[in-house]
Structure formats: C-alpha cells, structure tokens
Amino acid sequence: MSVPSTARVVIIGGGIVGVSTLYHLAKFGWSDCVLLEKNELTAGSTWHAAGNCPNFAMSFGVMNMQRYGLELYRGLVDEVDYPINYHVTGSVRLAHSHERMMEFEHAATMGRHMGLEMDVCTPDQLLEHYPFMETHDLEGGLWDPLDGDIDPAQVTQALAKGARAMGAKILRFTPASGVSRENGEWIVHTEKGDIRCEFVVNAAGYYAPRVGEWFIPHGGRPVPAAVMSHQYFLTEPVPEIAAWSEKHGRKLPLLRDVDSSYYLRQETTGFNLGPYERNCQAAWVRPDDPMPDDFSFQLYPDDLDRLEWYIEDAMARVPLLGTQGVSRNINGPIPYAPDGLPMIGPMPGVPNAFEAHTFTFGIAQGGGAGKVAAEWIVNGQTEWDMWCCDPRRYTDYTDKDYCIDKAMEVYGHEYAMHFPHHSWPAGRDRKKSALHDKMLELGGQMGTYNGWERANWFAKPGDDTSEEATQTWKRSGPWEPRIREECEAVRDSVGVLDLPGFSRFSLSGEGAAEWLRGRITGALPKVGRLNLAYFADDRGRILTEMSVIRHDEDVFTLITAAAAQWHDFEVLKFNLVDGLELVDRTLDLSTLIVSGPKSRELFEKIADADLSLGWLTHQEAKVAGKEAMLVRVSFAGELGWEVHASFKDMPLIYETILEAGARPFGMYALNALRLEKGYRTWKGDLSTDYSLLEGGLDRFVKLDKPQDFPGKSALMNERQQGSKKRFVTLLVDAGDCDAPYMAAILQGGDLVGEVTSGGWGYRVNASIALGMVRADLAEPGTELEVEIYGKLCKATVQADAPLWDPENARIRA
C-alpha cells in the first residue's frame, strides 16, 4: 500500500493500543486515519504479552477502561468476523492478611459502580473456584467471574480488520522517522514519503521516548518512562489439569497470589507462571546496553534465577505446578511509567499531538485505551475523567534516574496496597522548598506533590516513623495524635504550613479580563481582590478550579493545585488570543499558609501591612522585613493569610513566624480542616465526571452573563431539566476507617452515589465524607449508608453549609 500524502490522524505504533485507537477513530467516523508500524503489527510488547484480562484495578478510571475493553473483546469476534482465542475463566485473588481483604472489599465496591460483580470469598469458597491450591494460611480472596486471558496477536488483528473495514489505513513495514510542523499541520516523515495531518499520536510502546524526542523542538518534553524485563514461563502438560478441563469443559480460573506477587494460569493443559519479583531488572539503562533501533519480535536471555523464590512459593501454593518441567520461558520488555499507569491524552506542551503508550497491562487496557485516546482526539474530552492516565500528571521532575527508580519500585510492588498514609520511598527529593531542611529538623514526615516535598505531619521524638507503621487502612497511627494537635493549634491559636509548588500563572494584556470572562463560568474579582473561578468543558463538567487574583484591570495571577500545573497552563495557553501574555511563574515564589484566630496578632508583630483589609483581599506588604504578597484567604477555614514570597526570603520569614508563636502543621491536617469546610479538591471532588451544578457550585455559575463560556448551553439545559446528582456532605458513623474515594453510598441496599473524599474532622470530632448522591436524596437529614471496606456505616446528609463555622464568621473576623 502506498503512503498517502494526507490524513486526518497519523498513529505511530502498531501494538494493540495504536490499533485500538485507529479502530475507535474509525468508529467515530474518522476513517481518514493512518497507522504506521515499522515491522509487523504486534512486534513490540504486544506479541509476547501473556494476555491476562482482569477487570480489577484500584484506580477507578483504569477499572472503567478495562471493564469497557473486556466487554468490547467479548463481542469482537462476531462484530468483525475474526477468530480470537478468548477464555473468560474467572479469577481468584488471594489474601494473606485482613488488610488485603479490606482492599478487595473496596475493589468490589468500585466494580459495583460500573455493573461488575466481584465476590469477596472465604478460603473454602476459593476452593470451590480453584480446587488445586493450599488455603491453610489465607484470610480469603476475591472472585471476578469475567477475568480471563486472550490471544494478544489475534485481538490486535481483529481490531485491525475492523478498522480497515471502516476505511482506516494500516501501513506495515513503514517506520516513521520524524515529524515537522508547517502552517498549523503536522508532517510525519517516512522513507516512503511524508504524510501531512491534523493530529499525530505517539503509540510507540517502549519506543515512545524515542518518538517523543521528535516533539521536543515543538514544545514537548522527554517522555517519562523506563523499560522493565518481565518473565513468565510455561510448563509441560499437567495430566490433572487436562482431566479437570475435560470434565468441566473449560480452563481453570486464573490465580493471583498478590501478596507473594505472581499470577498463575492454565496454558493449554499446563501452567503459565508470571512473577513480579522484587529483585527486578530494568532494561537498556546502561551506556553499554542502549536500546536497539529495532527489537521487533525479540526477547532477552532467560534469567530464571531471579524468579527462584516466587517459583518455590507458587509450587507450595499449587503443588501441581512442581510436577512438570518448564517448556518455554519468555523474557521481554515492558514499558513502565513512574506510577505504573499508562499515558493517554494530550502530549504536554504540543498542540494537536497525543500520547497512548507506556502500558504495563496493554492487552487488558488496550480496548478501553483506544476509546479514551479517540475521544481525546475527536471531542477534546473523554467520557470518564481519566486524570489517572493523563500525560500532564508528570511535569519537569521526571528525569531518567527518577523514571528508572520508580519503575523498579512499581514493578517490584506491582500488587502492593496503596495505603492512605504511606509514601513510597523511591524518586524522592526532586523538588525541595527553601525550608526543606527545616521541615526535617522539626520532624516533618514528607510526601510528594507534583514532585515537591511537603510535610504531611510533624512527628515528635519517640513517634514511630517507620514505613511499616503506615501500612494500614485505619485512621489511627502515630500520625493521628499529631494531626489532632496540629488542627487544634490552627483552631485555637495559629499554625503555619509550608506550601511550595503552588501552580501560579501571570496573565496580562489588553482585554485579558474580557477573555477570562469568556472562559470561566462566573464573575471576576474587582481590582485588589480575589475569588475562585471554575472552568467547564463543553458538557458543563468541572474542568478545573483556579484562584483569580486581580492586580489591575487586565493584570491577573492565577493560582491552582500543584498537580494541575501543566494541565491548567494548557487550559489557558491553547485558548489564548493574540495580545495576551501568559507566563508560568510557579518557580518564582513559594507560599506559606498562616491560619488561626491569633494570626492577626502574629502579623501585627512581624508585618508592615494593613491587617484590617477584609476576606478575599490581597496586598503588597513586608513580612519579617521581606517583600511579600499577603492574601486574605484560608483553605483551613480560620482567620488567616497566605504569604507569597521569593524562595530566598522564605527561611527568614518562616523562622520569624515560628518565633512569633505559630505551630507547624502539615498536609494531613490541612486535608482534615478543609473537609470540615466542605472545600473541594481537584480531581477528587472536582472532576469531569460531574457538572458544576451537580458539584454544588451553583454560586460560581452566572448563566445570565453575556459571555458564551464553554459549557454554558449544557448548564442552562441542566438547570431547566434538573440535575441527576447533587454534592453532599455526610457525617458517617465510620469506626476505625474513614470513607475512601469511590466508596459506595447506599439506601436500602441500592447504590445511590459515591464518596469523592473522606476523613476525620478534628474540630467537629466526626468522620466526614464528601460525595455525590441521587438528587432527591440530597435533603439534609436523609439517612444513607456508606460502605467502607466492606462495612456498612450509617451516614446522614448535612445542610448545604460548612460543618465548621457555617456562617464563616471566623474567617471574616
């Protein structure tokens, strides 16, 4: 097939994800699309993939993506008339501990939101599903009836056939060699000719960093990924397995011993064992072992010694595994992002370029990934909020060493539980505030926020600060009395929190105010003041939230969450009009939060400022003799100010604040304080899964203003028709654990909503859950239940006001 001179979209990479993206673009009616593959389809990680297909994931977005993909696969044979060996066998996941059982309970709850039925099992019930294992040391497990395995090459070829039938083109043995940009269009270069296109997609698997280099001159960045060596081996036939399959007419379920870190499944009439070993091996990381230009259909040499412990453990669990020898070993490359999740979405910094790569579980996720990638390209937004996979979640701290260190950590803890108070140790100290050493001196237990180190809580001598202490779902731990003390200090006196990494952008130029009015759903502040502003997508859903500080008629500072830095900058940048200047000033200043009823007294001692200015004002001032901007606002819900000053001046300012009587507090305390005020967090309570009206943000929506902001017509329609969901604050009889994200909200056993964030409020002395419920249940006093790790807990809807200081009298004091 000849290379066309033009196309609407060019996809680089012919693994399952690239082909699925092409298929879904064609489904949207975009048939003028081309996929380029330098070898044969599936030549990268796809061809040697094991092909396991779980629904299970502890990320709600990833679970939704996998659920969709497996549904697609189950109907694909009939749709495209292509044979696929797809065995829906079900699977058991084993739990060695009560903590693991709690994780399984929550996974089953998340599955219920999307119509999946996963059953939490006793050891005896596990044996009914899988009779060949030892269960004497197990707490129980999880049964997923829709798990199984699929032939990776066949499902990719089936998607390819479907894409071709709808008019899309696949060019095999046609490697892309680079890109250039001309007149707002991309030109993708190949040895067989150039293709001019509107959009380009990097779906190059473990070669994605190589392809990503082509986009750096166009505003891109090095792709944050590493390659891991993953092995699995196949055994000779096992007579007992053959007999069981013949009797039952199906394969054994897939078994995962997640605490030991391996999967075991039936392969023909033998076994397939795939460990994720702690003593893992990154690939192509040394100067003397570079990534080859072409590794198509190739493997690494066997290295079974690395797997010895896992093999012995698996044989003890399923003794039949040890009765036969190894018939074949597969040791191949798998790409890993620093958090183990793929990258799907806009390429950071580059217009009309997208990414769909770095899939650790590409077969299970490929079907849904193609849908998500195609939605990004066609609609500029996705059906489900997919921030968990958005490439912009990483910014400038992901150097090569970081990516390797994190890939090794994630691979070696592939099945690890992600406890709420646990911080992973690899890849730390990439971004440190000017107060970092001081935080450590004060006992700060650090966490990372967009690469920035911040204190989560402050330990005292004798507190258990070990990593082991954090491996619990419970609220209690050495941190709890310290969080309480920190919250009480903010409530009764004054506290100070070091907050480096606030994303901040300056916007200026004639017409900047009017341009902003046309982008946000509400109003702008007056000069000298600030307010919250919300950006909606075309559906009226919550795209992002920014604090807008107005310095002059057309001069603004926009402040947003640390994690939102690249995302929110692009929300502004790619819609900017000529004559306006937008600059990322995140590294220019740092921030302190000083909050509590005695904060005014503190500043009277150390600041040259007008402390009578009211709530939501800002001023240039001197603090400890240093230039600063004082902003009268408090995410903690008490009288307070934010201090914005240069990094070099922060050590003196902070020391002066401490000497004036403030107590340090951390991010855990801030989270507790904001919950009591009902303040939302980005990509928790605020996401594109909900509209602004559903999110209870009505006061920030001005439908009568003349500007036709994005989402206006959708919000007008929703206001007329009524919202299906509403945001609520719940008080929960929660016991030892607070409600996690996506905990189910129930009434009479029926699923009626979900928790978006939860935690303990130390000022109101209660467990709080923020969430979404069916609109008719949002009335104060409505009694519901929240399922917290399998336990049903009574919950009561509260009035639409903060739990703490509902009149905001303390903030306005």
Side-chain angles (χ1 to χ4, degrees):
M1 182 183 295
S2 61
V3 173
S5 60
T6 62
R8 197 166 193 183
V9 183
V10 172
I11 299 168
I12 301 170
I16 190 169
V17 175
V19 175
S20 178
T21 302
L22 185 73
Y23 167 87
H24 282 90
L25 285 169
K27 278 275 193 180
F28 276 114
W30 285 34
S31 58
D32 183 17
C33 300
V34 174
L35 182 145
L36 301 176
E37 166 54 45
K38 66 183 175 184
N39 197 283
E40 180 58 88
L41 296 183
T42 77
S45 292
T46 300
W47 81 272
H48 63 76
N52 299 331
C53 290
N55 284 298
F56 182 98
M58 291 311 295
S59 160
F60 189 73
V62 170
M63 181 183 281
N64 222 345
M65 185 169 65
Q66 291 175 181
R67 185 266 316 159
Y68 167 86
L70 303 195
E71 287 181 6
L72 171 69
Y73 296 166
R74 290 195 291 273
L76 197 57
V77 171
D78 293 334
E79 179 189 337
V80 304
D81 189 25
Y82 193 95
I84 305 174
N85 289 322
Y86 186 16
H87 308 103
V88 182
T89 62
S91 73
V92 292
R93 287 176 183 261
L94 310 184
H96 293 229
S97 66
H98 180 62
E99 287 75 20
R100 183 67 77 175
M101 289 293 284
M102 293 171 70
E103 180 194 57
F104 288 168
E105 291 277 11
H106 185 50
T109 293
M110 292 201 302
R112 187 175 178 184
H113 283 288
M114 53 191 77
L116 299 172
E117 293 298 330
M118 300 178 184
D119 298 327
V120 178
C121 301
T122 65
D124 288 342
Q125 290 170 329
L126 290 174
L127 281 174
E128 294 176 11
H129 295 296
Y130 199 101
F132 298 111
M133 67 173 164
E134 298 293 325
T135 61
H136 61 280
D137 58 344
L138 298 179
E139 286 281 329
L142 183 71
W143 167 249
D144 178 0
L146 294 177
D147 204 339
D149 64 89
I150 197 167
D151 184 289
Q154 289 177 339
V155 69
T156 304
Q157 294 293 351
L159 290 166
K161 182 180 180 183
R164 289 186 183 107
M166 290 181 279
K169 295 180 177 65
I170 296 175
L171 302 179
R172 299 170 300 143
F173 303 101
T174 308
S177 56
V179 298
S180 57
R181 192 154 174 80
E182 185 178 282
N183 299 325
E185 293 181 315
W186 290 105
I187 302 171
V188 181
H189 306 293
T190 81
E191 293 179 357
K192 301 178 182 179
D194 294 343
I195 308 175
R196 185 179 291 268
C197 60
E198 186 178 355
F199 302 97
V200 65
V201 183
N202 180 358
Y206 52 77
Y207 278 99
R210 287 272 184 91
V211 173
E213 292 173 3
W214 303 342
F215 293 89
I216 291 176
H218 305 285
R221 88 305 183 209
V223 170
V227 180
M228 297 298 297
S229 156
H230 177 60
Q231 295 185 90
Y232 64 90
F233 70 79
L234 313 177
T235 72
E236 301 289 352
V238 179
E240 293 87 344
I241 299 300
W244 190 93
S245 287
E246 184 175 357
K247 177 180 177 180
H248 293 86
R250 58 186 174 89
K251 292 173 62 175
L252 272 173
L254 201 153
L255 180 149
R256 292 182 181 85
D257 193 332
V258 290
D259 290 311
S260 292
S261 193
Y262 62 79
Y263 70 81
L264 180 69
R265 82 159 197 243
Q266 182 178 337
E267 189 78 31
T268 60
T269 58
F271 283 112
N272 173 336
L273 176 67
Y276 290 89
E277 68 278 13
R278 294 286 173 88
N279 56 325
C280 51
Q281 180 64 57
W284 302 322
V285 295
R286 303 189 314 272
D288 61 343
D289 182 29
M291 179 185 287
D293 291 334
D294 190 352
F295 201 69
S296 299
F297 296 112
Q298 296 183 58
L299 296 171
Y300 305 129
D302 295 350
D303 190 9
L304 286 173
D305 289 346
R306 239 169 51 209
L307 310 183
E308 182 178 358
W309 183 92
Y310 302 89
I311 296 169
E312 291 176 353
D313 189 80
M315 289 192 297
R317 178 68 55 201
V318 181
L320 282 179
L321 177 63
T323 63
Q324 302 297 324
V326 174
S327 68
R328 188 185 180 199
N329 187 66
I330 290 88
N331 184 8
I334 296 181
Y336 265 74
D339 62 2
L341 300 182
M343 285 174 247
I344 321 170
M347 185 181 295
V350 185
N352 286 3
F354 294 84
E355 298 186 323
H357 57 68
T358 320
F359 284 78
T360 300
F361 300 102
I363 307 306
Q365 296 166 2
K371 173 186 186 293
V372 171
E375 288 173 342
W376 268 122
I377 297 164
V378 174
N379 301 323
Q381 56 203 19
T382 53
E383 178 183 355
W384 323 301
D385 190 290
M386 291 301 298
W387 175 246
C388 60
C389 296
D390 195 310
R392 295 168 293 183
R393 70 190 188 273
Y394 299 114
T395 60
D396 56 353
Y397 58 94
T398 56
D399 59 27
K400 181 179 179 181
D401 288 343
Y402 176 89
C403 293
I404 294 169
D405 290 347
K406 294 302 289 185
M408 296 274 284
E409 181 178 66
V410 172
Y411 182 98
H413 298 84
E414 186 61 66
Y415 296 121
M417 292 175 276
H418 295 264
F419 297 108
H421 294 98
H422 178 253
S423 292
W424 293 97
R428 301 300 295 270
D429 294 345
R430 285 316 194 268
K431 291 183 175 182
K432 296 189 289 188
S433 85
L435 304 174
H436 184 73
D437 291 343
K438 184 66 176 180
M439 295 299 103
L440 298 180
E441 176 189 325
L442 293 170
Q445 304 304 300
M446 311 303 285
T448 55
Y449 300 81
N450 189 27
W452 289 95
E453 296 287 328
R454 295 177 180 171
N456 284 326
W457 62 285
F458 289 88
K460 290 184 175 180
D463 287 346
D464 184 356
T465 59
S466 67
E467 188 175 354
E468 290 74 20
T470 67
Q471 295 175 354
T472 177
W473 303 109
K474 293 181 179 180
R475 180 187 320 113
S476 60
W479 52 83
E480 189 185 22
R482 305 297 165 243
I483 297 171
R484 181 182 293 277
E485 291 167 3
E486 293 169 22
C487 290
E488 289 171 349
V490 174
R491 179 195 68 190
D492 300 333
S493 182
V494 58
V496 57
L497 182 146
D498 180 34
L499 198 70
F502 246 159
S503 303
R504 71 184 74 229
F505 318 123
S506 68
L507 175 70
S508 60
E510 185 176 351
E514 185 59 25
W515 178 81
L516 260 183
R517 289 190 190 98
R519 302 306 305 173
I520 65 174
T521 62
L524 290 176
K526 296 178 181 178
V527 174
R529 298 187 63 83
L530 70 146
N531 65 8
L532 279 179
Y534 288 87
F535 294 73
D537 67 14
D538 293 341
R539 301 162 296 183
R541 298 187 186 182
I542 305 164
L543 185 61
T544 197
E545 169 197 82
M546 298 188 199
S547 294
V548 178
I549 299 174
R550 194 168 189 178
H551 305 283
D552 206 338
E553 179 64 24
D554 284 320
V555 181
F556 299 88
T557 295
L558 307 174
I559 296 180
T560 183
Q565 182 183 2
W566 282 9
H567 175 281
D568 283 7
F569 190 75
E570 292 191 356
V571 167
L572 301 168
K573 173 185 174 183
F574 288 147
N575 294 288
L576 208 62
V577 297
D578 291 342
L580 301 186
E581 183 181 28
L582 177 71
V583 181
D584 187 332
R585 299 199 182 279
T586 301
L587 297 178
D588 292 351
L589 300 171
S590 192
T591 303
L592 301 177
I593 291 178
V594 181
S595 192
K598 296 183 179 180
S599 56
R600 180 177 281 115
E601 296 175 28
L602 182 148
F603 280 114
E604 285 173 346
K605 301 174 188 175
I606 68 170
D608 180 7
D610 182 356
L611 300 176
S612 67
L613 292 180
W615 190 34
L616 301 180
T617 61
H618 62 90
Q619 61 182 302
E620 298 302 317
K622 284 194 174 182
V623 180
K626 300 297 182 180
E627 298 292 338
M629 180 172 67
L630 277 184
V631 181
R632 178 79 188 278
V633 70
S634 174
F635 200 54
E638 300 285 352
L639 174 68
W641 283 261
E642 290 176 358
V643 182
H644 300 260
S646 69
F647 279 80
K648 67 180 177 62
D649 290 336
M650 273 303 180
L652 176 61
I653 294 173
Y654 188 78
E655 285 285 0
T656 305
I657 289 171
L658 288 183
E659 291 170 1
R663 170 172 178 151
F665 69 102
M667 297 299 292
Y668 290 166
L670 183 64
N671 186 60
L673 295 164
R674 69 94 188 168
L675 282 168
E676 294 171 307
K677 296 296 292 182
Y679 295 158
R680 282 70 151 172
T681 57
W682 190 67
K683 293 307 180 187
D685 315 295
L686 303 172
S687 81
T688 56
D689 284 330
Y690 310 112
S691 75
L692 273 83
L693 301 182
E694 288 176 332
L697 301 171
D698 307 53
R699 67 189 183 279
F700 299 102
V701 178
K702 305 296 182 185
L703 295 177
D704 57 350
K705 71 177 187 176
Q707 293 82 12
D708 187 22
F709 57 84
K712 184 175 184 178
S713 60
L715 290 167
M716 291 179 70
N717 183 63
E718 182 181 343
R719 181 161 285 177
Q720 291 173 349
Q721 301 295 324
S723 302
K724 295 179 180 179
K725 296 180 177 181
R726 288 297 290 181
F727 180 87
V728 293
T729 298
L730 301 170
L731 286 182
V732 188
D733 296 342
D736 294 335
C737 303
D738 298 310
Y741 178 68
M742 294 311 294
I745 302 175
L746 305 148
Q747 186 188 54
D750 295 330
L751 183 65
V752 296
E754 63 271 359
V755 170
T756 54
S757 61
W760 191 265
Y762 292 92
R763 291 175 297 193
V764 301
N765 204 35
S767 184
I768 303 165
L770 308 183
M772 294 286 181
V773 299
R774 207 174 66 205
D776 62 298
L777 300 175
E779 289 297 317
T782 302
E783 292 192 356
L784 303 169
E785 290 181 305
V786 175
E787 186 176 353
I788 302 178
Y789 302 115
K791 179 184 177 183
L792 290 177
C793 302
K794 179 184 174 182
T796 306
V797 176
Q798 303 300 298
D800 186 16
L803 295 171
W804 176 253
D805 186 27
E807 302 300 324
N808 288 327
R810 297 171 70 92
I811 291 178
R812 297 176 185 271

